[in-house]
Amino acid sequence: MIEIGLLIIVCLLIYHYCTATFRYWKQRSVPLVEPTALFGNYYDVVSLKTSPAACHESIYRNFPNEKYVGMIQLRTPALLIRCPEMVKQILVKDFNHFMDRGFHADEEREPITAHLVNLQGEKWRMLRQKISPVFTSGKLKAMFPLLETCSSQLSNYIESALGEQDSSLLEMRDVMARFTTDVIGSVAFGLHFNSFTEKESDFQLMGRRVLDSSQTSVITKAIRVFFPQLFHFLRLRTFPEEIATFFQTVIHDTIENRERNDVQRNDFIPLLMQLRKKSPDYDGTEANDLEITESVIAAQAFVFFMAGYETSSTTLSFCLYELAKNLDVQEKACNEIKKVLNKHGKLSHEALMDLDYLEMILLETMRKYPPVSVLARVCTKPYTIPGTKISIDPGTSVAIPVYSFHHDHKYFPDPETFDPERFSPENQEKSINYTYLPFGAGPHVCEGTKFRTGRSGIGLRHLLRLFRFRYVDSTLTADCTQHNDSRLSGFTGDDLDVEGL
């Protein structure tokens, strides 16, 4: 009987711990979604029945008249934002109250997690100040030849595939992943990954391992976000140790080779290496200075690789998918490319800057298929929502549902229609600020925005200059052969059916 009594007490204590925060929003008279024990509003997410984006989208749709909605992420109170003005308040005006993203870096056990996305507080601020000069327009322009080489390899690969196969059916997401892997390898690591000649490069293998979406991996990452103390107590790892070793070894060998052989190359490595050097008049007394070590450089290169490996290849794949279904948009883009090439005479950085319609296509792709579906922030200082008496305590999460804003007919009429004209200069003047957030906003806006759009633009320009894409049917299969005329051919879902011009 004593054992049964103790078991009941333990169960009650666990239940109390799991539900102690459930009245948080009721006490503040904030509309909320009723949570369930252990999971809050995240049962379907943890059980892999749905994605966080779909979970937030459901809440967003079910409270159409609210500016914000209370929810519980496992046991952490979170506020889902539905109002553009509140988005601005949190991301920009009151950024100092919401400086952290809620991710945690373990600089000792997992140094590759100590990058701009994960770092918090003053460490993030100092690193941001040091990293920002790396992404100036001039330095990105200097990398243009590297991007151009990778884009040429992309078009050559497709052209070769069309010539060698009886069928020109290609799995386009794989092709785009190879392209973005080569681009990142060239500009972030100063290496040739040879993704188009090797069946599977080491970096592609590592990319897939990092993006592991098995239930074990999802649970581990959920513990890391929502129960960081437990994560560290159990000595869990965000990534397998061999992944960290791989990236740290690559950076160490690359830097050593650059220094030993005085290798000069217009990529990110020498720019990051320069951050390790103090100015001649530096006396070592600067307060709270952040030392840029080889591990810090490896962490930034790692997150740069991951940010591009999946999101950029997916964006390019979705872009081709929409162009294949909207031939008028595709033809207009092709005509613009011809016109710009006639004007400049060659493929150049200046020519890329003149491709306004192609830029609009990319912006619309990222509206319909945002690279990041939810922006996460954590309250770091006591905060009162402006115009109310509602207080938010430090540690409370904030979720900004990017996908939901992008698909809200109030901000983007007929949101499921692919329409690049939404981003024409005249239409952008009429758009509502802080409803389009593919890269975030405020001080936490993605540093690589210009590089990411430039890389995608160069890849698309090469493809549309040489090939045409057409949606064949809804079966996700296609069949095509190479032709020497200008007929359009297609790309369906995961597969590309493409003809050379």
Side-chain angles (χ1 to χ4, degrees):
M1 289 297 293
I2 295 176
E3 290 82 357
I4 294 176
L6 288 174
L7 179 61
I8 292 174
I9 292 173
V10 169
C11 290
L12 289 174
L13 289 173
I14 292 174
Y15 179 82
H16 173 73
Y17 173 79
C18 293
T19 60
T21 58
F22 283 13
R23 292 185 56 81
Y24 187 89
W25 296 118
K26 284 185 179 180
Q27 293 170 348
R28 289 161 173 76
S29 300
V30 172
L32 78 158
V33 184
E34 287 297 331
T36 57
L38 296 179
F39 303 102
N41 301 120
Y42 263 29
Y43 174 77
D44 287 343
V45 175
V46 174
S47 62
L48 301 184
K49 292 181 179 179
T50 190
S51 66
C55 173
H56 294 134
E57 169 73 357
S58 175
I59 296 172
Y60 184 96
R61 297 295 178 191
N62 288 332
F63 292 83
N65 301 316
E66 304 295 342
K67 291 184 177 181
Y68 39 80
V69 181
M71 57 182 292
I72 303 294
Q73 297 173 332
L74 299 185
R75 70 181 301 275
T76 302
L79 196 65
L80 185 81
I81 306 301
R82 299 191 73 265
C83 170
E85 187 54 41
M86 272 208 68
V87 172
K88 179 180 180 181
Q89 203 77 38
I90 288 167
L91 297 184
V92 182
K93 290 184 177 180
D94 297 322
F95 171 77
N96 286 335
H97 288 265
F98 299 94
M99 185 183 296
D100 297 344
R101 287 187 170 101
F103 306 131
H104 300 272
D106 188 335
E107 298 177 56
E108 293 184 5
R109 293 183 59 241
E110 295 188 282
I112 63 167
T113 64
H115 48 69
L116 274 176
V117 175
N118 286 347
L119 286 178
Q120 301 179 350
E122 280 305 305
K123 280 194 174 181
W124 170 83
R125 194 187 296 275
M126 288 186 289
L127 183 60
R128 172 80 176 204
Q129 291 172 351
K130 290 177 178 289
I131 292 290
S132 292
V134 172
F135 292 92
T136 62
S137 298
K139 289 173 180 175
L140 294 176
K141 180 179 179 180
M143 297 177 191
F144 181 83
L146 302 177
L147 302 177
E148 186 68 21
T149 298
C150 293
S151 297
S152 296
Q153 292 170 347
L154 166 66
S155 54
N156 291 340
Y157 174 80
I158 294 177
E159 201 163 19
S160 175
L162 293 176
E164 293 176 1
Q165 301 177 176
D166 293 333
S167 169
S168 59
L169 185 66
L170 296 175
E171 207 291 288
M172 200 55 186
R173 288 194 66 178
D174 176 68
V175 175
M176 291 296 97
R178 292 173 184 272
F179 168 64
T180 55
T181 299
D182 272 2
V183 169
I184 297 164
S186 183
V187 300
F189 295 88
L191 300 173
H192 298 291
F193 290 173
N194 302 316
S195 298
F196 288 119
T197 56
E198 295 184 11
K199 185 175 181 181
E200 181 177 65
S201 70
D202 290 339
F203 277 82
Q204 284 179 289
L205 176 62
M206 288 297 166
R208 277 199 291 275
R209 292 196 64 187
V210 171
L211 294 171
D212 177 20
S213 59
S214 66
Q215 190 162 17
T216 301
S217 177
V218 170
I219 291 174
T220 299
K221 290 172 183 175
I223 294 173
R224 172 175 168 259
V225 172
F226 299 112
F227 306 102
Q229 294 86 359
L230 179 62
F231 183 88
H232 292 301
F233 176 77
L234 296 176
R235 300 188 65 79
L236 299 175
R237 300 188 66 89
T238 309
F239 308 111
E241 189 170 1
E242 55 265 32
I243 291 178
T245 301
F246 174 82
F247 281 97
Q248 288 174 312
T249 301
V250 167
I251 289 297
H252 172 77
D253 292 347
T254 301
I255 291 177
E256 187 178 67
N257 177 61
R258 296 286 179 94
E259 293 179 334
R260 185 193 314 119
N261 300 306
D262 192 27
V263 176
Q264 302 298 321
R265 201 168 183 270
N266 288 324
D267 53 36
F268 284 118
I269 291 295
L271 300 177
L272 293 172
M273 288 170 62
Q274 289 173 15
L275 298 179
R276 296 189 303 172
K277 300 176 181 178
K278 305 295 185 183
S279 60
D281 58 347
Y282 180 74
D283 61 6
T285 60
E286 183 179 341
N288 300 320
D289 189 30
L290 178 67
E291 182 183 4
I292 302 298
T293 65
E294 198 172 277
S295 291
V296 172
I297 293 176
Q300 310 324 306
F302 168 75
V303 75
F304 190 72
F305 171 76
M306 291 317 306
Y309 173 76
E310 172 66 13
T311 58
S312 294
S313 61
T314 301
T315 295
L316 280 168
S317 299
F318 277 127
C319 185
L320 289 176
Y321 172 74
E322 290 293 347
L323 290 176
K325 294 184 68 176
N326 297 274
L327 298 182
D328 56 330
V329 174
Q330 182 178 172
E331 200 60 29
K332 187 173 179 179
C334 294
N335 290 336
E336 180 189 53
I337 291 170
K338 292 176 184 177
K339 182 179 177 181
V340 169
L341 287 179
N342 288 335
K343 173 185 174 182
H344 290 270
K346 64 176 182 178
L347 299 171
S348 64
H349 182 267
E350 289 72 23
L352 181 65
M353 295 300 100
D354 275 353
L355 294 173
D356 297 327
Y357 191 66
L358 195 65
E359 174 76 3
M360 290 159 57
I361 289 172
L362 285 170
L363 292 174
E364 173 66 350
T365 301
M366 290 184 287
R367 179 202 65 81
K368 195 171 180 183
Y369 310 98
V372 178
S373 60
V374 179
L375 300 178
R377 297 291 184 270
V378 172
C379 183
T380 55
K381 292 192 269 186
Y383 183 74
T384 300
I385 297 176
T388 75
K389 295 182 180 180
I390 298 172
S391 62
I392 298 178
D393 297 322
T396 304
S397 296
V398 173
I400 298 172
V402 175
Y403 181 91
S404 300
F405 277 110
H406 286 193
H407 288 256
D408 192 326
H409 66 88
K410 290 188 299 184
Y411 311 124
F412 300 98
D414 196 10
E416 297 308 316
T417 298
F418 187 79
D419 181 14
E421 293 297 334
R422 299 180 201 272
F423 295 94
S424 65
E426 54 272 23
N427 285 333
Q428 288 205 63
E429 288 180 2
K430 297 182 289 186
S431 65
I432 299 175
N433 291 333
Y434 300 96
T435 58
Y436 182 71
L437 302 159
F439 301 113
H444 263 313
V445 69
C446 177
E447 281 282 19
T449 297
K450 293 179 181 177
F451 174 76
R452 184 180 294 180
T453 53
R455 170 181 55 200
S456 300
I458 292 175
L460 278 177
R461 184 184 63 183
H462 271 268
L463 291 177
L464 296 178
R465 184 171 63 93
L466 298 172
F467 309 104
R468 294 293 182 271
F469 308 92
R470 176 173 56 84
Y471 188 80
V472 177
D473 54 39
S474 59
T475 62
L476 299 185
T477 59
D479 188 19
C480 176
T481 56
Q482 186 175 19
H483 290 277
N484 294 319
D485 59 23
S486 59
R487 287 184 295 166
L488 302 179
S489 60
F491 162 57
T492 64
D494 291 334
D495 299 315
L496 170 69
D497 185 10
V498 57
E499 289 175 320
L501 292 182

